[in-house]
C-alpha cells in the first residue's frame, strides 16, 4: 500500500514538473514564429488591432444578444429548441390529461394545437415566429412523418390476425356499420360544404370521399388502451369492441388507400394501374414475405438473438415497404402498416421490436406530428368566418354516424342497450388515427384550412367524449350486476414489483388462522403508464402475477388477480377498495423521489380516503420470518400483539416485545397475565433497538410510529422488514 502511495505522489510530481518544462520551452517558440512570419505577422497585427477596436466589451449586452440570436437561428439549434418545447408540452399536457381522466394522447394533441397559431401564435406572435419559422417546418414535417411510420408499424403489429379470422358475426356487422353509416352521412354533408369551403380546383369526388372517410375512422390504439385501463380486456364487451375496432381499422385503411389512389392517379387508367400495383404488392407481402417472417419468429425470440444486424434488418424492411407504397402512390404510411401486419406473431419478438421503437420514435418523434398538426390548425378561422355552426353540424353528423351506427348494429346483434351504447361510445373515439387521415387530405390539397381545423376539433372532441360517455352509461344503467372485480372479499394486496408482491403474499398467509383451509387473497397490479401496447400489457401482467401464483400454490392460497393500466393509481386503488368488500389492504411502502417519508403521498392519500384496515410493508427483500419484533407503546398495542402472534404461529417464529416507553407497567393485571401466559420475551427499549439484525420483521402501530419520531425505523438490515399497522375494526381475517 505504501509503494502505491509513493508511486502516486511521484506520478503527480513528475507530471507537473514535465508539463511545466514543456510550457516554459514553448515560450521561446513564439519569438521564432514571429521572425519566421515577419511579413504575415505585420498584417495580422494590423487586423488584430482593428478587431480589438471593434470587439465588444465584456458587458456589451446588445452585441451578446445579437450573437445569441444568430446562434439560435442556426438550423440545429432551432430544431433542438423545438424538440425541447414540444416534448415538455406533450409530456406536461399528457400528464394533465391523465389526471383529468382522459387518455394521454388527448393532452399531447392539445399541446400541439396550443403551440400553433391558435394560441401561441395569437398571444405571442414574435415568439411563435422565432420558434416555428416557415423555413424550419419542412424538417419538422419529415421527422414527424418518420415517427408516424414507426407508429403505424406498431399498430400493424398490434392487430391480431387470428382474432380477425375468427371474429364473431356481430363484430363484422358492428365494424362495417360503423364505417358505412358515418361515411354516407359525411358524403352527404360534403354535398352542402363543397361550394363554400372546398379548396379551389378540388374535384367533388375527392372532397366527398375524404369527408366520408374522415367521419369513419376509429382510433384503435386509443380504444384498446381505454379498454385496458378499465380492465375489460378479458370481458365479452371488451373483446367485442377490440375486434370490431381492429376490423374497422383494416377496412378503413383499405378504403383510404383506394381514395388516395383515385386522387393521386388523376385519370381512370392511372387509377386502375395503381390499384393493380397495390394489390400485387399486398399479394407479395402475404404470400412471399409472411412465410419468411414466420420463420424469423422461430429464430429471433430473445433479446440476445436480436443482434444489431437483425434489428437493422427489421427496420430496413419497414423503410423499404414504406418506400414501395410511396412510389406506387398510396402513401408511405400504408407500407409501414402492412409491414407491421406481416410481422411474426411471436409475442417475444414483437415485444422486443416495440421496446426498440417506443423508447425514441414514439416518445420523441410522434409528438412532433401533434405539433405539426397544431401549426396547421387555425381555430381563429372559425370565429372570423362565422363557421362555429358548421363545426357543430360536423360534430353532430360524426357522433350520429359513428356512435349511432355502431350502437344500432350491436343492439340488432343481440347485445343489451348498455353494451350496445358502450360499443358505440368506444367506436366514436377517433384520436390520432383521425389526425393522420386529415393530414393526408391536407397534404393532397383536398381539405381547406377551415375544414381541416374543424375536423381536427371534431376528432379531439369525440375522443374527449369517450371517458365521460362511459361513466354516464354506468350511472344510467347502475342497476346492472356488478363486475367480477366488484364482488371480491378478504385480503387485498397491491404491489408495483413482483418481489414486493411475494413479500406481501407471505405476510397475508401469516395473518390467516393456522388451520384455515380457504385462504383467499386478491392481488392488484396497476401499470402507471396508460400508453402501453396490448402486447406489453400482457407481458407485464404475466411477469407480475406468475411468481405470485406459484407461491400461492405452495402456500395453499386461492389467488385472484386484477391488472389494468392506470392514469391515477391512488384513485384506482381507492375505487377497488370501495367497490369490493375487502377486510384488509396490504401495500408496500412508497418513498417519493423528493422525500424519505416511507408512506409517501400515495399511501397517505389512500389512508385518508378509506377506512379500511391497512398494513404498510417497508422492507429490504424480506424472505424469512424467523424472528418477530413488536414495538409496544400502550394498551392499544395488545391488538398489535395478537397480529404478531398469528404470524408467529403460522411460521413458527420467535416473538419478542420491546417496551418503548415503559407502558407495560401501566397495563391492567389481566393484560399482564396474558403476556406471562404467552411467554413472550420482553425487552427494554434500549436493548431492543440496539440489535435490529436479530429480527426479520418489526411490527409497529401506525399512530405510534407517526406521533413518536424517536420510535421510527427508517433504515433496515438486508432481509429485514417493518410492518406498520392501522387497525380500524379488527385487522385479522376471521377464523
Amino acid at each position: 500500500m505504501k509503494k502505491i502511495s509513493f508511486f502516486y505522489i511521484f506520478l503527480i510530481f513528475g507530471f507537473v514538473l514535465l508539463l511545466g518544462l514543456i510550457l516554459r520551452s514553448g515560450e521561446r517558440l513564439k519569438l521564432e514564429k514571429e521572425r519566421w512570419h515577419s511579413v504575415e505577422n505585420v498584417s495580422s497585427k494590423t487586423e488584430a488591432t482593428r478587431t480589438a477596436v471593434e470587439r465588444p466589451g465584456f458587458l456589451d449586452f446588445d452585441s451578446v444578444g445579437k450573437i445569441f440570436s444568430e446562434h439560435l437561428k442556426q438550423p440545429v439549434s432551432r430544431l433542438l429548441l423545438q424538440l425541447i418545447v414540444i416534448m415538455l408540452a406533450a409530456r406536461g399536457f399528457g400528464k394533465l390529461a391523465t389526471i383529468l381522466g382522459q387518455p394521454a394522447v388527448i393532452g399531447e394533441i392539445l399541446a400541439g394545437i396550443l403551440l400553433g397559431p391558435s394560441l401561441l401564435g395569437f398571444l405571442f406572435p414574435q415568439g411563435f415566429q422565432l420558434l416555428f419559422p416557415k423555413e424550419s417546418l419542412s424538417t419538422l414535417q419529415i421527422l414527424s412523418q418518420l415517427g408516424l411510420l414507426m407508429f403505424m408499424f406498431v399498430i400493424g403489429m398490434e392487430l391480431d390476425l387470428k382474432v380477425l379470422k375468427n371474429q364473431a358475426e356481430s363484430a363484422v356487422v358492428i365494424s362495417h356499420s360503423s364505417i358505412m353509416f358515418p361515411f354516407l352521412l359525411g358524403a352527404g354533408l360534403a354535398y352542402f360544404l363543397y361550394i363554400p369551403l372546398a379548396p379551389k380546383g378540388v374535384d367533388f369526388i375527392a372532397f366527398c370521399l375524404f369527408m366520408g372517410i374522415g367521419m369513419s375512422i376509429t382510433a384503435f390504439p386509443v380504444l384498446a388502451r381505454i379498454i385496458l385501463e378499465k380492465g375489460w380486456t378479458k370481458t365479452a364487451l371488451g373483446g367485442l369492441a377490440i375486434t370490431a375496432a381492429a376490423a374497422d381499422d383494416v377496412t378503413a385503411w383499405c378504403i383510404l388507400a383506394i381514395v388516395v389512389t383515385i386522387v393521386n392517379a388523376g385519370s381512370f387508367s392511372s387509377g386502375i394501374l395503381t390499384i393493380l400495383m397495390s394489390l400485387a404488392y399486398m399479394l407479395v407481402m402475404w404470400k412471399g414475405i409472411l412465410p419468411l417472417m414466420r420463420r424469423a419468429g422461430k429464430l429471433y425470440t430473445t433479446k440476445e438473438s436480436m443482434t444489431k444486424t437483425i434489428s437493422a434488418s427489421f427496420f430496413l424492411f419497414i423503410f423499404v415497404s414504406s418506400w414501395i407504397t410511396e412510389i406506387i402512390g398510396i402513401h408511405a404510411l400504408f407500407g409501414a402498416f402492412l409491414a407491421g401486419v406481416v410481422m411474426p406473431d411471436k409475442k417475444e419478438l414483437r415485444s422486443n421490436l416495440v421496446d426498440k421503437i417506443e423508447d425514441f420514435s414514439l416518445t420523441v418523434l410522434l409528438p412532433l406530428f401533434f405539433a405539426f398538426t397544431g401549426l396547421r390548425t387555425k381555430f381563429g378561422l372559425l370565429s372570423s368566418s362565422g363557421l362555429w355552426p358548421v363545426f357543430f353540424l360536423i360534430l353532430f353528423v360524426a357522433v350520429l354516424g359513428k356512435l349511432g351506427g355502431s350502437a344500432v348494429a350491436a343492439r340488432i346483434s343481440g347485445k343489451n342497450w348498455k353494451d350496445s351504447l358502450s360499443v358505440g361510445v368506444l367506436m366514436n373515439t377517433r384520436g390520432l388515427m383521425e389526425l393522420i387521415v386529415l393530414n393526408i387530405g391536407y397534404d393532397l390539397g383536398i381539405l381547406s384550412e377551415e375544414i381541416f381545423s374543424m375536423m381536427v376539433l371534431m376528432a379531439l372532441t369525440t375522443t374527449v367524449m369517450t371517458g365521460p360517455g362511459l361513466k354516464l352509461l354506468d350511472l344510467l344503467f347502475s342497476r346492472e350486476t356488478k363486475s367480477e372485480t366488484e364482488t371480491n372479499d378478504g385480503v387485498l394486496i397491491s404491489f408495483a414489483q413482483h418481489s414486493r408482491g411475494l413479500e406481501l403474499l407471505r405476510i397475508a398467509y401469516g395473518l390467516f388462522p393456522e388451520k384455515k383451509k380457504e385462504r383467499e387473497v386478491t392481488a392488484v397490479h396497476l401499470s402507471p403508464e396508460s400508453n402501453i401496447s396490448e402486447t406489453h400489457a400482457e407481458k407485464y401482467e404475466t411477469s407480475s402475477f406468475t411468481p405470485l401464483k406459484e407461491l400461492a400454490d405452495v402456500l395453499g392460497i386461492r389467488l385472484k388477480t386484477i391488472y389494468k393500466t392506470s392514469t391515477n393509481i391512488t384513485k384506482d386503488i381507492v375505487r377497488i377498495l370501495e367497490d369490493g368488500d375487502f377486510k384488509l389492504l396490504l401495500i408496500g411502502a412508497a418513498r417519493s423521489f423528493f422525500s424519505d417519508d416511507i408512506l409517501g403521498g400515495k399511501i397517505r392519500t389512500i389512508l385518508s380516503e378509506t377506512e379500511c384496515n391497512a398494513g404498510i410493508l417497508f422492507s429490504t427483500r424480506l424472505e424469512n420470518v424467523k424472528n418477530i419484533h413488536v414495538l409496544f407503546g400502550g394498551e392499544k398495542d395488545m391488538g398489535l400483539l395478537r397480529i404478531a402472534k398469528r404470524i408467529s404461529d403460522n411460521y413458527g417464529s420467535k416473538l419478542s416485545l420491546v417496551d418503548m416507553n415503559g407502558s407495560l407497567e401501566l397495563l391492567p393485571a389481566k393484560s399482564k397475565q396474558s403476556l406471562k401466559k404467552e411467554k413472550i420475551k420482553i425487552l427494554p427499549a434500549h436493548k431492543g433497538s440496539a440489535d435490529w439484525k436479530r429480527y426479520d420483521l418489526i411490527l409497529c402501530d401506525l399512530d405510534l410510529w407517526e406521533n413518536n419520531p424517536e420510535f421510527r425505523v427508517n433504515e433496515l438490515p438486508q432481509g429485514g422488514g417493518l410492518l406498520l399497522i392501522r387497525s380500524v375494526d379488527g385487522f385479522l381475517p376471521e377464523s
Side-chain angles (χ1 to χ4, degrees):
M1 196 70 179
K2 291 182 179 179
K3 291 182 179 179
I4 295 175
S5 301
F6 177 77
F7 171 75
Y8 185 64
I9 294 172
F10 176 77
L11 181 66
I12 294 175
F13 178 77
F15 172 79
V16 173
L17 179 63
L18 292 175
L19 182 61
L21 289 174
I22 293 172
L23 295 176
R24 183 68 178 241
S25 300
E27 288 292 324
R28 302 171 186 172
L29 298 177
K30 184 177 180 181
L31 297 175
E32 295 182 14
K33 181 178 176 64
E34 289 176 353
R35 286 195 299 269
W36 187 264
H37 299 286
S38 57
V39 177
E40 290 83 358
N41 199 38
V42 171
S43 60
S44 298
K45 285 183 178 180
T46 304
E47 178 66 22
T49 304
R50 186 181 62 82
T51 305
V53 174
E54 294 178 355
R55 183 177 299 158
F58 181 74
L59 296 177
D60 191 343
F61 293 108
D62 291 337
S63 299
V64 172
K66 291 179 181 178
I67 294 173
F68 178 78
S69 178
E70 289 299 321
H71 290 171
L72 182 59
K73 291 179 181 179
Q74 296 297 316
V76 174
S77 176
R78 178 173 280 128
L79 178 61
L80 291 174
L81 180 61
Q82 290 172 344
L83 284 171
I84 293 169
V85 172
I86 291 169
M87 286 189 65
L88 287 174
R91 291 295 95 191
F93 279 90
K95 185 64 177 178
L96 179 62
T98 58
I99 292 174
L100 298 175
Q102 293 290 340
V105 68
I106 289 296
E108 294 171 354
I109 294 173
L110 184 61
I113 292 173
L114 296 181
L115 287 175
S118 296
L119 184 68
L120 181 62
F122 178 75
L123 297 178
F124 190 27
Q126 292 181 341
F128 175 74
Q129 290 299 326
L130 180 66
L131 185 59
F132 298 111
K134 289 184 178 180
E135 60 269 19
S136 71
L137 298 186
S138 58
T139 303
L140 203 62
Q141 183 180 19
I142 291 173
L143 289 176
S144 69
Q145 290 297 311
L146 186 60
L148 276 184
L149 290 179
M150 297 295 102
F151 174 75
M152 291 303 297
F153 173 72
V154 172
I155 296 305
M157 282 201 301
E158 287 185 353
L159 285 179
D160 192 341
L161 295 177
K162 293 179 181 178
V163 172
L164 295 179
K165 288 180 181 179
N166 304 319
Q167 61 186 327
E169 182 181 349
S170 58
V172 177
V173 174
I174 293 169
S175 170
H176 291 174
S177 298
S178 71
I179 291 176
M180 287 185 284
F181 273 96
F183 197 103
L184 286 174
L185 289 175
L189 184 62
Y191 181 82
F192 297 98
L193 299 181
Y194 176 70
I195 293 177
L197 293 175
K200 293 181 180 179
V202 172
D203 188 69
F204 173 74
I205 294 177
F207 182 73
C208 177
L209 292 177
F210 253 93
M211 286 298 294
I213 198 67
M215 295 290 184
S216 306
I217 289 292
T218 291
F220 172 75
V222 179
L223 181 145
R225 282 159 179 73
I226 291 173
I227 289 175
L228 193 65
E229 186 181 318
K230 286 188 166 292
W232 289 355
T233 51
K234 296 180 181 178
T235 64
L237 174 61
L240 176 65
I242 287 180
T243 305
D248 185 293
D249 253 21
V250 172
T251 307
W253 283 107
C254 290
I255 296 174
L256 181 59
I258 295 172
V259 173
V260 172
T261 300
I262 294 172
V263 173
N264 283 333
S267 65
F268 180 77
S269 58
S270 299
I272 294 297
L273 179 61
T274 303
I275 291 175
L276 290 176
M277 288 191 296
S278 303
L279 291 175
Y281 180 64
M282 293 176 67
L283 185 64
V284 169
M285 292 287 279
W286 200 257
K287 295 296 182 180
I289 303 299
L290 184 58
L292 293 177
M293 286 298 175
R294 286 174 178 168
R295 292 183 61 185
K298 297 177 181 178
L299 297 175
Y300 310 114
T301 57
T302 63
K303 287 189 176 181
E304 185 178 7
S305 63
M306 289 288 290
T307 62
K308 289 185 178 179
T309 302
I310 300 302
S311 299
S313 299
F314 281 116
F315 280 102
L316 185 62
F317 172 62
I318 300 171
F319 298 143
V320 170
S321 179
S322 302
W323 177 72
I324 291 174
T325 55
E326 180 71 20
I327 62 172
I328 287 175
I330 56 172
H331 209 284
L333 294 179
F334 298 106
F337 177 74
L338 195 57
V341 171
V342 299
M343 278 290 109
D345 59 354
K346 297 293 183 180
K347 291 184 179 179
E348 296 83 1
L349 186 144
R350 293 190 176 200
S351 178
N352 290 335
L353 283 175
V354 172
D355 280 340
K356 294 177 182 294
I357 293 172
E358 284 187 340
D359 287 343
F360 180 76
S361 298
L362 302 188
T363 56
V364 178
L365 297 183
L366 194 59
L368 298 183
F369 173 72
F370 299 131
F372 189 71
T373 302
L375 294 175
R376 292 175 158 183
T377 305
K378 301 177 181 179
F379 291 152
L381 293 175
L382 276 65
S383 299
S384 61
S385 304
L387 294 176
W388 282 107
V390 179
F391 161 70
F392 287 113
L393 178 61
I394 290 175
L395 180 63
F396 174 76
V397 170
V399 174
L400 178 64
K402 200 71 177 176
L403 192 155
S406 304
V408 169
R411 181 60 179 164
I412 293 175
S413 300
K415 307 302 176 184
N416 59 44
W417 273 115
K418 182 183 179 182
D419 287 351
S420 299
L421 291 171
S422 296
V423 170
V425 170
L426 288 167
M427 296 295 285
N428 191 46
T429 304
R430 287 176 171 84
L432 173 58
M433 306 302 283
E434 175 78 6
L435 298 188
I436 295 174
V437 173
L438 296 178
N439 275 275
I440 292 174
Y442 190 89
D443 289 333
L444 293 173
I446 298 170
L447 302 180
S448 63
E449 286 185 336
E450 294 85 355
I451 290 289
F452 179 82
S453 299
M454 288 188 285
M455 293 291 282
V456 167
L457 185 56
M458 179 273 290
L460 191 63
T461 305
T462 53
T463 308
V464 170
M465 290 169 56
T466 306
L470 293 174
K471 290 180 181 179
L472 179 61
L473 291 177
D474 287 337
L475 292 175
L476 295 176
F477 295 90
S478 58
R479 294 181 182 180
E480 298 284 338
T481 55
K482 291 187 176 181
S483 65
E484 206 173 297
T485 58
E486 297 174 325
T487 58
N488 293 307
D489 57 9
V491 179
L492 175 70
I493 64 173
S494 176
F495 64 96
Q497 298 179 345
H498 71 262
S499 57
R500 181 52 54 86
L502 294 173
E503 298 173 0
L504 294 171
L505 190 61
R506 291 190 183 97
I507 296 293
Y509 170 80
L511 296 174
F512 285 100
E514 188 176 3
K515 297 181 180 180
K516 185 174 178 62
K517 294 182 179 179
E518 293 292 331
R519 299 182 177 94
E520 184 176 290
V521 175
T522 300
V524 58
H525 176 68
L526 305 176
S527 290
E529 177 59 68
S530 62
N531 282 340
I532 62 175
S533 64
E534 188 176 356
T535 302
H536 272 60
E538 292 177 0
K539 174 184 173 182
Y540 295 156
E541 182 176 7
T542 301
S543 62
S544 298
F545 288 130
T546 297
L548 267 71
K549 290 178 179 178
E550 293 173 353
L551 179 60
D553 291 339
V554 173
L555 298 176
I557 293 175
R558 199 179 87 166
L559 185 69
K560 293 182 178 180
T561 60
I562 301 174
Y563 173 83
K564 58 184 290 191
T565 59
S566 174
T567 56
N568 192 316
I569 290 178
T570 304
K571 287 185 177 180
D572 281 335
I573 292 176
V574 170
R575 189 178 298 113
I576 291 171
L577 283 168
E578 291 176 346
D579 292 342
D581 186 23
F582 295 102
K583 176 135 184 115
L584 166 66
L585 168 67
L586 290 177
I587 191 170
R591 275 179 171 168
S592 70
F593 182 78
F594 301 101
S595 172
D596 287 332
D597 181 8
I598 64 175
L599 294 184
K602 293 181 179 179
I603 295 178
R604 291 190 180 278
T605 301
I606 293 171
L607 294 176
S608 65
E609 295 186 6
T610 62
E611 294 295 330
C612 69
N613 301 302
I616 302 99
L617 179 64
F618 172 51
S619 69
T620 56
R621 207 70 177 180
L622 178 67
E623 294 181 355
N624 299 312
V625 190
K626 295 180 179 178
N627 299 284
I628 300 177
H629 183 101
V630 179
L631 304 185
F632 194 87
E635 187 176 2
K636 177 187 176 184
D637 290 334
M638 292 299 292
L640 184 69
L641 194 59
R642 285 192 293 273
I643 296 170
K645 185 68 170 57
R646 177 72 67 82
I647 300 175
S648 174
D649 291 342
N650 275 295
Y651 285 106
S653 313
K654 294 180 181 179
L655 182 60
S656 301
L657 185 149
V658 179
D659 185 9
M660 301 300 293
N661 51 12
S663 57
L664 282 174
E665 294 298 326
L666 304 177
L667 289 177
K670 186 176 180 181
S671 297
K672 290 181 180 179
Q673 291 177 359
S674 176
L675 291 176
K676 291 180 180 179
K677 184 178 179 181
E678 296 290 347
K679 297 181 180 180
I680 297 173
K681 187 176 182 179
I682 299 175
L683 302 172
H686 67 277
K687 187 174 182 180
S689 59
D691 188 11
W692 296 111
K693 293 184 180 181
R694 292 180 55 199
Y695 304 97
D696 300 308
L697 183 63
I698 304 166
L699 269 69
C700 182
D701 180 77
L702 180 61
D703 289 337
L704 180 72
W705 185 84
E706 287 274 61
N707 298 325
N708 299 275
E710 66 274 14
F711 293 172
R712 294 186 182 182
V713 182
N714 290 319
E715 298 296 335
L716 296 169
Q718 186 65 31
L722 168 66
L723 184 63
L724 299 176
I725 301 294
R726 182 179 81 167
S727 181
V728 178
D729 56 359
F731 189 87
L732 296 171
E734 297 177 0
S735 302

